[in-house]
Amino acid sequence: MEHYLFSFSLLLLILHCTNTLSQSPASAPVAAPAQAPTHRPSHRPHSSPPPPGPVDVIQILLKAGHFTAFVRLIKATHVDTQLTSQLNSSTDGITIFAPTDAAFSNLRAGALGSLNDREKVAFLQFHILPRFLSTSDFQTLSNPVMTLAGSDSRYPMTISTTDSSVTINTGLTKTSLANTVYTDKQVAIYEIDKVLLPKYLFPPAAAPAPAKPAESPEIPKDVSGAISSVLHYNWAVVLGVVLVTATMFSL
């Protein structure tokens, strides 16, 4: 009997262990999947594009088609570099009086060839004002007008206006604005039909001295006395002949 009880108890123990092992452990809570970090857009201020560079004056003149001689001189003297520097360093702008090829062809032969390099630079600078001028701005200018060559007595320039024209006078050249080639509130280019000649670089030819009026030759006193004596002698001879003739006829 004890043997059966022991066997039954052992069976119950085995069944209990088997039941315990077959039970799965408590499920651990499932972790939520990690969320990817959100990339929020930065709130940096929007940077504006850099301002455009100054206009290419040479290309504008070449595109216009009849300023070849003027462009050639600007490039040969490197005045184009000065124009770029002027536009980059100042907000005043520039105004250019551009003579046409026909204007250069009307110059006296060899006029520009007589200038040295420094004078050629000054000659071109005389055609450029260091500020932007619209056609209406010419009405408020004070004379003499400042150019890149200066405003002293060596490079005088006066500008006058009427209802329909703008006239430039250098003392040697007088011309009017013929056309507006380009304007953009910073650069103004105006066509002129004559080359602007400053007196300092192109002095007018010296006028010949006026001829003295012809003077009567002066007769020396001794000669005039001799002539007077001869005249008195001749009159005495004539008078004597007359008297003799009259006496003969009276006899």
Side-chain angles (χ1 to χ4, degrees):
M1 188 65 180
E2 291 179 0
H3 176 74
Y4 289 112
L5 288 175
F6 175 78
S7 300
F8 182 73
S9 299
L10 182 59
L11 179 62
L12 290 178
L13 179 61
I14 293 173
L15 292 175
H16 175 74
C17 292
T18 303
N19 187 33
T20 302
L21 294 174
S22 63
Q23 291 181 356
S24 61
S27 300
V30 179
Q35 295 182 353
T38 304
H39 295 283
R40 297 182 179 180
S42 60
H43 295 284
R44 295 177 182 176
H46 180 67
S47 58
S48 57
V55 298
D56 191 332
V57 172
I58 296 297
Q59 291 302 317
I60 294 173
L61 291 171
L62 289 176
K63 186 177 180 180
H66 50 284
F67 300 101
T68 306
F70 191 51
V71 168
R72 185 166 56 248
L73 282 170
I74 290 177
K75 295 176 70 175
T77 55
H78 304 292
V79 171
D80 54 336
T81 303
Q82 182 182 9
L83 293 178
T84 302
S85 176
Q86 173 79 11
L87 292 173
N88 282 328
S89 61
S90 173
T91 58
D92 294 335
I94 58 174
T95 298
I96 300 175
F97 300 126
T100 61
D101 291 335
F104 278 96
S105 65
N106 290 331
L107 283 178
R108 174 178 53 85
L112 296 181
S114 63
L115 303 179
N116 58 38
D117 292 343
R118 180 181 57 81
E119 290 171 339
K120 287 179 181 178
V121 171
F123 162 73
L124 288 171
Q125 290 174 333
F126 191 59
H127 291 74
I128 305 168
L129 309 186
R131 55 176 291 196
F132 169 83
L133 293 175
S134 65
T135 52
S136 60
D137 290 334
F138 287 108
Q139 301 175 1
T140 61
L141 282 180
S142 298
N143 289 313
V145 177
M146 167 75 76
T147 70
L148 288 184
S151 62
D152 54 22
S153 58
R154 297 180 303 169
Y155 301 99
M157 177 186 290
T158 59
I159 295 180
S160 57
T161 62
T162 63
D163 293 338
S164 58
S165 66
V166 177
T167 302
I168 307 169
N169 193 339
T170 72
L172 291 178
T173 304
K174 187 175 182 180
T175 186
S176 299
L177 303 189
N179 187 29
T180 299
V181 179
Y182 179 85
T183 181
D184 67 354
K185 306 304 181 182
Q186 187 186 22
V187 176
I189 304 177
Y190 298 104
E191 176 184 330
I192 54 177
D193 56 9
K194 291 183 180 179
V195 178
L196 302 179
L197 303 178
K199 289 182 177 180
Y200 180 69
L201 299 179
F202 302 91
K212 294 183 179 180
E215 298 179 354
S216 300
E218 185 177 353
I219 302 175
K221 292 182 179 181
D222 53 348
V223 175
S224 62
I227 293 176
S228 178
S229 299
V230 171
L231 291 176
H232 282 296
Y233 174 78
N234 289 339
W235 277 110
V237 172
V238 171
L239 182 59
V241 171
V242 170
L243 290 176
V244 170
T245 304
T247 302
M248 291 178 63
F249 277 104
S250 61
L251 293 176

